[in-house]
Amino acid sequence: MSEPVAWASGRLRFFRRPFHEYRLTDRVVLSQMPLFVTTIFTTLLTWAFFPATMEHPLFIAFLVSQLVLMALCYLVPWDRLPYTSFLLIPLLDFVSIAVGREGGQESLTGISLLAVFPVIWLCASGYYPRTSLWLSFFAPLAIIWVPLLIRGDLSGPSLSKPLLLPVMLLGIGVSVSVLTLSMTRQQRALEEKDEQLQAGLRRTRRHEALLNTVLDTVHLGVLAVDADGHDILMNRKQRANHELARPRDIEDPNESQLLVFGPDRTTPVPVEERPVRRAVLGETFTDYLVWLGSGKEQRAITTSARAMKDADGKFAGSVIVFGDVTDLVNALAAKDEFVSSVSHEFRTPLTSILGYVEILLEDDPADDQLGPLEIIRRNSERLLTLVSDLLASRNGQLIVSPHAVDVAELVRATVSAARPKADASRVVLKADTPARLDAHVDGPRISQVLDNLVSNAIKYSPDGGNVVVSLEQKDGHLTCRVSDTGMGMSADDQAEVFAKFFRTSAVRRTAIPGVGLGLPISKAIVEAHGGTIDVDSSLGKGTTFTFRVPV
């Protein structure tokens, strides 16, 4: 039986698995079970309401035949017989039902309707469809007419009166046959589609092997090579990396001619140790650092490689990924130096300063001493905040708490605090602000930005000059400019001025102290307010920093 019968089309609730997955004996039993269960209910009804029928020999023969047929479903090794042998059971059911109809006709008039079960079984089996349809009509007709012929009752009314039952069962048989045929066609169509999907899946898996390898390693530049070392894939960034490593006097260099250096940035990496060569030899590695190019354009590149295998598990090539980590390498080097310096030269004296200032403030200093002490404490605490901001900005976590603030007063306070330092450096420090300018900003943070910019303007005007801090409100934004007439910066230095730990080449040649943190932190504070900060400078003529934040 290739399909479940109609009463169990595909899967019933109480089935634990699809009908066709059961062994043949179980399918035969399940197909006979509806008629057998109905026979049991018929027997109970007869015993309860028509006990005399239970003694009728034909009715007893009907019950015994159903028991025997059910037992045969269990006991006969159907899988050892010709496959359609089980169809003998529904044929015998017709005979059993005919006997039961004659035996119970005086009590139960609907026993002949039991013929619907073998009709459904035959038509749903899918075997001998035409014969099954003929039997769905003539077998029920024989159940009714044969007893009439035996009794000699051949009158027209007697023969035509029960014709509705065979016609009805024929209709049921046709419906079941059509449904079974449709399900069979659908199953075949699904099998064909499944085969197509399997074929597509196999093709996809072959492409997926390459794609997954690329995705596992890609960051920026990607290069794929075959087992012979020939390039089969190179993205745009990797072409730029290759151009960076190409000697300017060689149009198409080989691997040994490329400018690839070790960690010291000057020693060429041996050919057999270069990333592409190692990958072609089948090596797998991660974060192998080299330097590409020379001079100011030299970049630190970290490389990783993964081998590709063909269907037989043989080496088929490699995928190499190249990531530019120049900024990271430079920052790590600067960080190590900075942390060491701060640990020994900054925290200990700062803590001592704060401690002594607190002691002096507790001794009720005179009014002319209170102001300077407050300035010392304020700037010492700001230095401690600087350390915290360094850690916060490194992790991308800088929090501001805006509230209503008179920014003009903040500017005047910053200028007042910086004036002694300006006087000592022979710098004329001025503030050009309105009497009052209210804004919704984080006052201490904005003061920190002002202190950084004003301090830098004074610091980088070593030969004296003018520093002007101007403040205005325009188009819903607060705009503050800090201009000086100091040493200025080149265009290259301006492009890097907001990078952490960056100091211009001119400053590095002088004795001006600093670690290159004030401007990056100021930029982070301004951007946390939703604003912007930029620089306009000319070498030897001065610099103007401008920041804008929404009011």
Side-chain angles (χ1 to χ4, degrees):
M1 295 167 62
S2 61
E3 295 291 335
V5 294
W7 57 271
S9 57
R11 187 194 299 264
L12 290 178
R13 293 180 184 177
F14 54 83
F15 282 168
R16 295 184 179 178
R17 57 181 185 273
F19 183 82
H20 66 274
E21 293 184 1
Y22 286 88
R23 62 193 184 97
L24 182 57
T25 297
D26 293 336
R27 282 181 279 165
V28 172
V29 170
L30 290 172
S31 299
Q32 179 66 10
M33 188 65 71
L35 177 57
F36 183 72
V37 172
T38 306
T39 300
I40 293 175
F41 281 112
T42 302
T43 303
L44 294 175
L45 291 173
T46 303
W47 176 77
F49 299 103
F50 308 99
T53 303
M54 296 296 297
E55 299 177 1
H56 196 291
L58 291 180
F59 192 79
I60 294 174
F62 163 64
L63 299 179
V64 172
S65 64
Q66 285 298 308
L67 288 172
V68 171
L69 289 174
M70 195 67 204
L72 290 175
C73 291
Y74 273 109
L75 300 177
V76 174
W78 300 106
D79 53 346
R80 299 180 185 177
L81 300 177
Y83 188 71
T84 56
S85 300
F86 57 83
L87 294 179
L88 179 64
I89 298 296
L91 296 178
L92 293 176
D93 281 335
F94 287 120
V95 178
S96 175
I97 293 169
V99 173
R101 180 178 181 275
E102 286 302 306
Q105 196 168 24
E106 296 179 357
S107 55
L108 298 177
T109 59
I111 293 180
S112 55
L113 289 173
L114 296 176
V116 70
F117 293 111
V119 167
I120 292 175
W121 188 349
L122 287 171
C123 293
S125 67
Y127 299 104
Y128 316 113
R130 293 184 179 179
T131 303
S132 297
L133 290 177
W134 285 107
L135 286 173
S136 66
F137 177 78
F138 286 107
L141 185 64
I143 292 175
I144 300 170
W145 276 12
V146 168
L148 294 176
L149 295 175
I150 294 174
R151 289 195 296 268
D153 186 4
L154 302 178
S155 63
S158 297
L159 294 176
S160 60
K161 184 178 179 179
L163 284 178
L164 180 60
L165 177 63
V167 173
M168 182 184 69
L169 294 182
L170 175 61
I172 293 175
V174 171
S175 299
V176 172
S177 296
V178 171
L179 180 60
T180 301
L181 179 61
S182 176
M183 293 175 62
T184 302
R185 290 176 176 173
Q186 289 180 4
Q187 182 179 356
R188 290 175 181 172
L190 289 175
E191 290 175 351
E192 292 177 358
K193 290 182 179 180
D194 181 67
E195 179 59 31
Q196 294 174 359
L197 289 174
Q198 291 295 332
L201 181 61
R202 289 191 291 270
R203 290 194 299 270
T204 301
R205 284 176 176 171
R206 288 195 294 269
H207 295 296
E208 186 181 12
L210 174 61
L211 180 60
N212 286 340
T213 305
V214 173
L215 293 177
D216 285 342
T217 55
V218 68
H219 287 290
L220 295 174
V222 177
L223 172 65
V225 296
D226 60 20
D228 297 324
H230 300 126
D231 297 348
I232 57 177
L233 183 148
M234 181 185 293
N235 69 350
R236 178 182 57 82
K237 179 61 179 178
Q238 182 52 27
R239 286 193 290 271
N241 289 336
H242 188 272
E243 181 64 20
L244 177 65
R246 181 182 67 85
R248 296 295 171 262
D249 56 343
I250 302 177
E251 184 65 27
D252 186 17
N254 56 39
E255 182 66 25
S256 63
Q257 295 171 320
L258 292 175
L259 302 177
V260 183
F261 303 97
D264 62 358
R265 307 174 64 167
T266 57
T267 304
V269 176
V271 176
E272 63 276 6
E273 296 179 12
R274 297 190 174 191
V276 176
R277 183 60 180 170
R278 291 177 60 186
V280 171
L281 295 176
E283 288 190 45
T284 296
F285 52 87
T286 301
D287 294 337
Y288 177 52
L289 183 67
V290 295
W291 288 82
L292 300 184
S294 60
K296 294 182 179 179
E297 297 180 353
Q298 194 176 50
R299 308 296 293 177
I301 305 295
T302 181
T303 62
S304 301
R306 296 291 183 272
M308 295 187 295
K309 305 291 183 181
D310 59 16
D312 298 327
K314 297 181 180 179
F315 177 72
S318 286
V319 175
I320 309 102
V321 64
F322 297 74
D324 190 334
V325 293
T326 306
D327 293 340
L328 176 61
V329 171
N330 291 337
L332 289 174
K335 181 204 69 173
D336 293 339
E337 180 180 354
F338 169 74
V339 170
S340 176
S341 174
V342 167
S343 298
H344 296 87
E345 306 294 337
F346 188 64
R347 289 186 179 274
T348 300
L350 181 59
T351 302
S352 178
I353 292 171
L354 281 171
Y356 279 109
V357 169
E358 292 294 338
I359 292 173
L360 292 174
L361 289 173
E362 290 176 357
D363 290 340
D364 297 326
D367 292 340
D368 59 341
Q369 296 175 340
L370 182 61
L373 289 175
E374 289 290 349
I375 292 174
I376 295 173
R377 182 172 66 175
R378 172 172 171 264
N379 285 279
S380 298
E381 290 175 346
R382 188 153 293 166
L383 286 175
L384 283 177
T385 303
L386 182 67
V387 175
S388 299
D389 286 344
L390 169 63
L391 299 175
S393 62
R394 181 185 63 185
N395 296 322
Q397 301 172 345
L398 201 154
I399 301 174
V400 297
S401 301
H403 54 278
V405 175
D406 181 3
V407 183
E409 180 60 28
L410 296 182
V411 171
R412 288 190 288 270
T414 296
V415 170
S416 176
R419 183 160 280 117
K421 181 178 179 181
D423 293 341
S425 299
R426 293 177 288 110
V427 171
V428 178
L429 179 59
K430 297 180 181 179
D432 180 10
T433 67
R436 185 179 182 87
L437 200 165
D438 292 324
H440 199 67
V441 295
D442 187 327
R445 292 293 191 181
I446 294 298
S447 293
Q448 187 176 351
V449 174
L450 292 169
D451 288 347
N452 284 334
L453 296 181
V454 171
S455 175
N456 283 350
I458 296 172
K459 182 191 302 182
Y460 299 126
S461 300
D463 299 325
N466 298 316
V467 174
V468 179
V469 184
S470 62
L471 182 67
E472 64 177 348
Q473 181 179 342
K474 184 178 181 181
D475 298 331
H477 283 71
L478 178 153
T479 301
C480 182
R481 293 182 179 86
V482 179
S483 303
D484 66 64
T485 57
M487 56 199 308
M489 291 180 285
S490 65
D492 291 341
D493 288 339
Q494 291 179 58
E496 300 286 340
V497 72
F498 292 109
K500 284 188 289 188
F501 308 117
F502 175 79
R503 306 190 74 205
T504 66
S505 55
V507 169
R508 288 196 297 269
R509 289 193 296 268
T510 68
I512 299 175
V515 293
L517 285 174
L519 290 177
I521 292 174
S522 298
K523 184 174 186 291
I525 293 173
V526 172
E527 290 180 346
H529 280 82
T532 59
I533 185 171
D534 53 55
V535 60
D536 180 20
S537 182
S538 297
L539 193 61
K541 296 182 179 180
T543 302
T544 298
F545 281 93
T546 304
F547 72 87
R548 300 175 180 86
V549 296
V551 174

